[in-house]
Amino acid sequence: MTTTGEVHRATAGGPWWWERRRSALFDIGLAGVSAAECAVEGIPFARNAGLPFAVGVVFGVLAGSTLVLRRRWPIAVVLVSVAITPAQMGVMLTVVGLYSLAASEMPRRIIGALAGMSFVGALIVAVVRAQQDVARGDVFQVGSWFVPFVAITTALGVTAPPLLLGMYVGARRRLMESLTERNDSLERELSLLAERAEERAEWARGEERTRIAREMHDVVAHRVSLMVVHAAALQAVARKDPEKAVKNAALVGDMGRQALTELREMLGVLRSGDAVPERTAVPLAAVGAAAAAAASRAEAESGDGGPCLAELEELVGQSRAAGMVVEMTVEGEVRVYGAVVEQTAYRVVQEALTNVHKHAGGAKTYVRLAHRGAEVAMQVENEPPPVPAAASSVGLPSGGNGLVGMKERVAGLGGVFVSGPTDAGGFRVSAVLPAG
């Protein structure tokens, strides 16, 4: 019994071995008809055997009633039919028993052996009855071939049709069960694919949220940190040096405008890509939409609107204007890289300078950029701050995501990122990006 059949049987609620009540009633009805037939045929059998009629009737009823077991034990039904064949009774038992046996899950060799036994029994009985009819003159014999022809035709007529029909029905039922199992398997596979697609869509949404958070951090943190530094300097020199205060105020305004400009550019990129719809019913479509949106965002991000290495001098100059002592050196032949590589290199230097403003105010900083054959390397190293509490006096908050964001950016391009304190008490950030 297949898994599908077991589930069907468990849910059908039929009595004993029947899958449905209708099947039980049908088999009981067949057994009743077979018992009646064998009971009637048991009367001449008892007369020929010299037994009381009641014995023949009871024997016929018991033999015919075994048809009720045709679904559970078809071999026993066929053996009973073969056993009572010499008594010239049980035609219905033989026909239905062979059909049930052929339609069952029994091996072909067992079906063939029992069918052969039934055929031989029916052939012997047919030969005997044909000879008796010819001897009594009930049938006119046209030749010596008449008795064998009638016997073989009768035996084949009793055994072949139910056997072939049962084999066809059994093969069809097994095919339907196989198709049902395959359909269930496909449904399970589709369910797993849907779950995986939903997981991919959720992963894509998480990656997008992380990317947006990283961009917001890189765009806002540096500009706002410089604005806070200049505002603190403006507060300190407002009364002592009005001219320097005016200059610092202008720098704060420029920083704010640049921050707003970068925010507008980033929001424009976000608006250009279609939002990923929340489709739990069709997760594969959600994955397609997410992929399309990610592709459009990547295309927009790889354009000329993002920062590049040529703007590092301006970035360092802004830190110098905020009071930081910065030395920048460039090694190797200057060349142009891919937009994503240049933007990542710029963001690493930008975030490293922002961290110096936050945690080591007043410390001398060294920015090194090296152009190599197949890669570009950058390093930002600061000395210990002259006053340990200088950074905390400015009051710059720290979210703790700067180094993580830099590492994710560099790793996403297949590069190497290293950060940590130096032996002199400062801090160093190094990154190497492939040029391709």
Side-chain angles (χ1 to χ4, degrees), residues 119 122-123 126-127 145-159:
F119 173 78
L123 180 64
V127 168
W145 54 268
F146 178 74
V147 172
F149 173 76
V150 171
I152 293 175
T153 303
T154 303
L156 286 176
V158 172
T159 58

Side-chain angles (χ1 to χ4, degrees), residues 40 42 53 126 133 150 162-164 168 178 204 217 262 277 283 298 314 321 415 418:
V40 173
F53 291 163
D133 292 339
V150 171
L163 187 67
L164 296 177
Y168 167 75
S178 175
H217 179 274
E262 292 189 7
E314 180 182 356
V418 179

